[in-house]
């Protein structure tokens, strides 16, 4: 199912424009959402989850208009927020029964589904444990289970891997990838590598504006020909480091190996290298920052 | 500067969470990684001086850190995962207050507070109340306070968890800087982001620690 956003705008009291005429389409499969803190990502996800109303613009889930029939949209979506308030005294199955009730499922409908979901997120063997005794990873998985109740066509996930260890993170990523075969999953995260490995398409927000929406591959191209590999000795590195935009660096003995973003070959001695999504993202943000700066100069 | 775990076991009560740790850390960046519940925070607490070893010793330049007590802590900066309640004070004033608690001489306080504000890129928000800061800024605030005494040993527990992609790139550069002339020990769930820069990785599993040096 496609989710089409058209000129979505949201202002908060105090004059903060969290989203400014944002238009793009979230396509089926895994769709990434990137942007700095304060870009408007969470506001966007809360609008899609019917928790906030946009001031202007429209959102359509397939044929359904969000404003005309929010109840129909609620039946379509599952939302996993960054922080989920849990009842610490409940067990996993009890919590899922409660959420099923809130989603309007009858107990008879819910029973087999909660059992299946607990199996799917690998919590079936912990059914007697209270949520208060869960690890961070178990809470995350229970969060996904509640988002999946009612078999939603759309799943919205905010920063899912914070607090997960590397193995849990991989398992979680694979679970989302499995689910995305027949659904639309919107994944918001700060871990660019997670978007690179799982999402075919993505959107980038900055200060409430859409900077990019399209194939992941194409964002990499933003950095084409601008990423360089370069080895410097420690003294030279200290001298020039603040003149370079360094993506990563490693010390190896007396030398420092750098990955640098630059329009031209820095010092002539660097070797051009393939960009990653992180490089593409940085180049995009950089050109956006330059655009904002020059607009401010014009304004001043 | 040298931090040695000498046949050290640590944990709560008499039950060790980690057993028989033996390795020495020198200048550079060191990562601690392992599954949730494997003892990352326990190891940090022991290194910070909050959790005395059940067996073995923690040595700073060859002397028992738990006997050095105050003289060990003076070398140390610690940014825990959660900084706990943040007071309704502007960033700069709060750092001043912490500098006083850390025993930094009044004559040096203002200058040092300005330095850590610059290092942690907090200049633009230095006059904003701490509770108003975003997660990423709170985390940089945690780093700034850990740097107040210019520590030889910097301990960071999941320091990048709330940082956005650009902040993460800047943070990597900052770690490279900071680890050039001190020991930086960082617990992380995302070791692949930093392993290229690290002098070594301590992997925890089933109560044991294995150090792989780069």
């Amino acid at each position: 199912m496609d989710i089409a956003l058209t000129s979505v705008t949201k202002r908060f009291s105090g004059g903060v424009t969290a989203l400014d005429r944002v238009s793009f389409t979230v396509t089926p499969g895994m769709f990434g959402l990137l942007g700095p803190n304060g870009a408007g990502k969470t506001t966007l996800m809360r609008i899609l989850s019917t928790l906030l109303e946009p001031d202007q613009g429209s959102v359509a889930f397939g044929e359904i208009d969000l404003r005309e029939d929010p109840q129909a949209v609620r039946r379509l979506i599952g939302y996993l927020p960054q922080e989920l308030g849990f009842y610490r005294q409940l067990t996993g199955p009890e919590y899922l029964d409660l959420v099923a009730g809130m989603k309007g499922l009858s107990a008879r409908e819910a029973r087999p589904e909660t059992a299946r979901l607990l199996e799917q997120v690998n919590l079936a063997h912990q059914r007697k444990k209270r949520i208060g005794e869960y690890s961070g990873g178990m809470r995350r998985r229970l969060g996904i289970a509640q988002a999946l109740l009612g078999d939603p066509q759309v799943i919205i996930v905010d920063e899912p891997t914070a607090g997960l260890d590397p193995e849990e993170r991989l398992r979680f990523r694979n679970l989302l990838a499995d689910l995305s075969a027949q659904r639309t999953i919107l994944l918001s995260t700060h871990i660019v590598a997670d978007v690179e490995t799982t999402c075919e398409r993505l959107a980038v927000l900055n200060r409430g504006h859409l900077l990019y929406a399209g194939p992941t591959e194409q964002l990499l191209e933003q950095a084409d020909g601008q990423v360089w590999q370069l080895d410097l000795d420690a003294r030279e590195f200290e001298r020039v480091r603040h003149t370079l935009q360094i993506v990563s660096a490693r010390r190896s003995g007396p030398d420092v190996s750098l990955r640098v973003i630059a329009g031209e070959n820095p010092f002539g001695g660097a070797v051009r290298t393939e960009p990653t999504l992180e490089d593409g993202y940085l180049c995009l943000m950089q050109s956006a920052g330059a655009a904002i700066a020059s607009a401010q100069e014009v304004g001043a | 500067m040298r931090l040695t775990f000498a046949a050290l076991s640590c944990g709560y009560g008499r039950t060790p969470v980690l057993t028989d740790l033996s390795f020495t850390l020198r200048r550079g960046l060191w990562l601690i990684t392992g599954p949730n519940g494997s003892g990352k925070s326990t190891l940090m607490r022991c290194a910070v001086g909050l959790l005395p070893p059940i067996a073995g010793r923690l040595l700073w330049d060859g002397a028992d850190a738990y006997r050095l007590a105050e003289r060990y802590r003076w070398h140390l900066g610690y940014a825990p995962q959660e900084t706990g309640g943040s007071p309704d004070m502007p960033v700069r004033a709060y750092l001043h207050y912490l500098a006083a608690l850390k025993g930094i001489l009044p004559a040096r306080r203002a200058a040092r507070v300005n330095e850590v504000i610059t290092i942690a890129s907090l200049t633009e928000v230095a006059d904003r109340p701490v509770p108003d800061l975003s997660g990423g800024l709170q985390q940089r605030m945690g780093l700034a306070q850990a740097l107040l005494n210019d520590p030889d040993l910097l301990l960071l527990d999941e320091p990048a968890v709330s940082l956005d992609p650009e902040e993460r790139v800047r943070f990597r550069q900052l770690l490279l800087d900071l680890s050039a002339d001190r020991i930086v020990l960082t617990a992380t769930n995302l070791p692949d982001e930093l392993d290229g820069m690290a002098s070594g990785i301590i992997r925890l599993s089933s109560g044991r620690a294995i150090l792989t040096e780069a």
Side-chain angles (χ1 to χ4, degrees):
Chain A
M1 167 173 294
D2 280 353
I3 310 167
L5 292 92
T6 311
S7 205
V8 171
T9 298
K10 180 73 193 174
R11 287 182 204 88
F12 289 113
S13 56
V16 180
T17 305
L19 293 171
D20 191 0
R21 289 161 291 166
V22 169
S23 303
F24 68 99
T25 298
V26 183
T27 46
M30 291 274 282
F31 191 100
L33 185 59
L34 292 174
N37 287 324
K41 301 190 300 293
T42 297
T43 302
L44 181 77
M45 284 181 283
R46 291 174 63 85
I47 287 174
L48 297 183
S49 315
T50 76
L51 297 171
L52 271 179
E53 270 186 51
D55 296 323
Q56 279 153 36
S58 66
V59 181
F61 288 72
E63 304 287 300
I64 304 165
D65 185 279
L66 177 72
R67 206 183 291 267
E68 280 170 19
D69 198 351
Q71 195 52 44
V73 169
R74 274 175 214 131
R75 281 194 291 271
L76 283 173
I77 57 166
Y79 178 39
L80 178 59
Q82 233 176 85
E83 309 227 341
L84 200 54
F86 281 119
Y87 298 93
R88 301 171 57 84
Q89 298 301 319
L90 298 185
T91 64
E94 287 168 348
Y95 175 74
L96 290 187
D97 281 349
L98 179 75
V99 177
M102 293 193 288
K103 285 196 178 185
L105 298 168
S106 71
R108 189 182 297 170
E109 284 175 299
R111 273 298 132 68
E113 208 184 331
T114 56
R116 188 177 52 76
L117 286 171
L118 286 168
E119 200 72 54
Q120 197 172 358
V121 299
N122 202 12
L123 286 173
H125 58 293
Q126 307 274 17
R127 51 177 65 248
K128 297 251 160 69
K129 206 171 199 159
R130 291 183 198 283
I131 296 170
E133 300 162 52
Y134 274 25
S135 70
M138 292 168 70
R139 281 170 194 236
R140 249 1 197 161
R141 281 184 273 147
L142 186 62
I144 261 286
Q146 67 77 29
L148 289 174
L149 271 171
D151 193 21
Q153 287 307 290
V154 176
I155 302 172
I156 297 164
V157 192
D158 196 357
E159 204 61 65
T161 49
L164 299 191
D165 67 38
E167 204 180 308
E168 290 171 333
R169 180 165 147 244
L170 186 65
R171 252 199 319 243
F172 188 76
R173 216 159 66 183
N174 290 341
L175 174 63
L176 287 183
D178 280 352
L179 293 168
S180 71
Q182 283 124 41
R183 294 180 181 82
T184 302
I185 299 187
L186 182 65
L187 169 69
S188 167
T189 178
H190 284 327
I191 314 299
V192 179
D194 280 355
V195 172
E196 188 165 22
T197 49
T198 55
C199 300
E200 276 171 50
R201 302 172 75 84
L202 81 160
V204 180
L205 287 176
N206 184 37
R207 302 182 185 206
H209 293 273
L210 182 75
L211 290 187
Y212 178 83
T216 307
E217 270 304 306
Q218 216 166 304
L219 182 52
L220 260 68
E221 288 168 18
Q222 290 270 341
D224 255 351
Q226 297 188 62
V227 188
W228 306 86
Q229 197 79 40
L230 162 78
D231 291 330
L232 296 174
D233 70 53
R235 192 171 306 163
E236 211 178 343
F237 171 66
E238 290 311 326
R239 203 165 47 80
V240 298
R241 58 178 313 165
H242 296 291
T243 66
L244 295 172
Q245 201 202 349
I246 300 166
V247 184
S248 65
R250 61 199 297 175
R251 291 185 194 274
S252 47
D255 289 347
V256 185
S257 302
L258 300 174
R259 187 183 175 89
V260 171
I261 292 181
E264 284 172 22
N265 193 337
F267 319 118
V271 181
R272 196 171 262 155
T273 174
E274 286 290 304
T276 63
L277 185 60
E278 184 175 68
D279 301 324
Y281 174 88
L282 290 172
C283 285
L284 180 72
M285 294 307 292
Q286 207 171 32
S287 49
I292 290 166
S294 68
Q296 279 167 347
E297 262 169 45
V298 170
Chain B
M1 53 187 85
R2 213 164 76 240
L3 184 69
T4 304
F5 293 76
L8 181 151
S9 298
C10 57
Y12 305 91
R14 285 193 183 164
T15 325
V17 175
L18 294 165
T19 309
D20 204 17
L21 308 184
S22 291
F23 46 79
T24 294
L25 309 180
R26 294 163 199 282
R27 190 182 313 254
L29 174 67
W30 306 84
L31 309 181
I32 307 173
T33 186
N36 284 333
S38 62
K40 294 194 291 286
S41 295
T42 306
L43 179 56
M44 289 302 259
R45 288 170 62 83
C46 182
V48 171
L50 292 171
L51 192 65
I54 297 172
R57 295 201 297 167
L58 179 72
L59 304 172
W60 176 251
D61 283 338
D64 190 306
Y66 278 82
R67 291 210 178 162
L68 289 173
E70 198 66 13
R71 277 176 297 152
Y72 171 60
R73 283 196 287 275
W74 180 246
H75 290 283
L76 184 108
Y78 175 45
Q81 215 175 114
E82 309 214 343
T83 38
S86 38
D88 195 6
M89 281 169 99
V91 168
R92 189 187 304 278
Y94 185 44
L95 286 171
H96 256 277
Y97 165 71
L98 292 174
L101 285 186
K102 284 202 175 191
I104 292 166
L105 297 175
R108 290 221 53 232
R109 260 175 232 160
R112 187 57 193 162
V113 165
N114 280 333
E115 282 165 21
V116 300
I117 283 175
T118 309
I119 295 171
S121 309
L122 291 168
T123 313
E124 281 177 39
V125 296
D127 299 313
R128 293 237 306 262
V130 178
D132 291 3
L133 303 184
S134 68
L137 288 167
Q138 298 261 7
Q139 208 147 29
R140 285 193 253 159
M141 171 81 202
L143 180 68
Q145 64 76 22
L147 289 171
L148 278 168
N149 56 335
D150 196 10
D152 294 322
L153 172 60
L154 181 62
L155 298 155
L156 307 172
D157 202 352
E158 288 288 354
V161 106
S162 322
L163 301 185
D164 70 35
E166 279 181 287
E167 288 173 330
R168 304 182 98 80
V169 171
R170 276 200 299 270
F171 182 69
R172 288 206 292 259
Q173 292 172 40
L174 182 59
L175 277 186
L176 189 75
D177 266 359
L178 293 171
S179 59
D181 51 5
R182 72 190 89 220
I183 302 172
V184 181
L185 181 59
T186 303
T188 176
N189 267 328
L190 289 165
D192 28 340
E193 277 195 330
L194 300 172
D195 61 0
M197 300 161 43
S199 304
I201 302 182
I202 301 160
R203 290 193 175 78
L204 305 183
S205 131
S206 326
R208 299 277 170 166
I210 297 160
L211 169 65
T212 316
E213 294 197 49

